[in-house]
Amino acid sequence: MRLTLTEFVTLDGVSQGPGSPDEDTGGGFTHGGWLVPHLDETFVRRTSGWLDLADGLLLGRRTYEAFARDWPKITDPADPYAGRMNALPKYVVSNTLTEGTWHPTTVLTGDPAQAVAGLKARAGRELQIHGSGRLGDTLLAAGLVDALRLVIAPTVLRAGRRLLSGAGGTSGLRLVRHEATPSGLVLLEYEAAGGPLRDSTRASPPSSETLRPGRIGRGPSPGLSVWALRLALRLRSFA
């Protein structure tokens, strides 16, 4: 299975408590619910499509306990997420839990990287991390995350727990899809690319295909990006 990480973040990188004021008040956080004012049909359609790809959910203990408390209470058959969230196999990484209450749940103990590597070796589509920022950060640093999906809200909080702030080596990512919703959310999908990309591609002028009308803006073009950046730096040196 592919391991994917889905996170909601503010412009200043805060991932804590996107859904409600009391979702996560750790550290005295008082700004919970910052994502809600920006939800729209495009967001629901895209994130529901992401969930369609899941054959299992991988969660840290804190996120698991919050989800296990809230999701089973949502029984509306028209809800775009609840039926699948409740039915999918759940895997929770914890050395303190002995069993789960949100069925079906498997508790993974010991070294998280080893346990998750074993899950990835199984047949299936995606094993998805939702929330669980610390777990996602650990697994990204370990080179186990295959894809990262970010929903960025047009909000600056200047307080709260930030995503990808833990220790570890550098990670390279390649943008494969980008989209803005009518409410101002930016949806970004990245594929893991191993190490950092800063010198992985020689600068070269864009091809005629890259500059063909209608081509620009339809997806990532690493060669064009590097070329444009170096051209900008060169022009700045003459300013």
Side-chain angles (χ1 to χ4, degrees), residues 9-14 34 152-157 186:
V9 297
T10 64
L11 281 174
D12 55 339
V14 174
W34 45 265
I152 303 176
T155 301
V156 177
L157 297 180
V186 177

Side-chain angles (χ1 to χ4, degrees), residues 123-200:
R125 296 173 301 168
E126 290 189 1
L127 179 64
Q128 296 186 351
I129 305 172
H130 292 266
S132 305
R134 290 176 179 172
L135 174 63
D137 193 0
T138 297
L139 297 178
L140 180 66
L144 291 172
V145 173
D146 299 296
L148 172 63
R149 295 169 178 141
L150 294 180
V151 176
I152 303 176
T155 301
V156 177
L157 297 180
R158 305 186 192 282
R161 190 168 54 253
R162 284 167 169 76
L163 181 65
L164 307 181
S165 59
T170 59
S171 303
L173 300 168
R174 193 181 309 280
L175 183 66
V176 295
R177 185 184 179 93
H178 53 88
E179 181 178 11
T181 77
S183 68
L185 295 172
V186 177
L187 282 59
L188 303 174
E189 296 187 51
Y190 293 93
E191 296 284 346
L197 295 178
R198 53 181 176 265
D199 280 321
S200 62

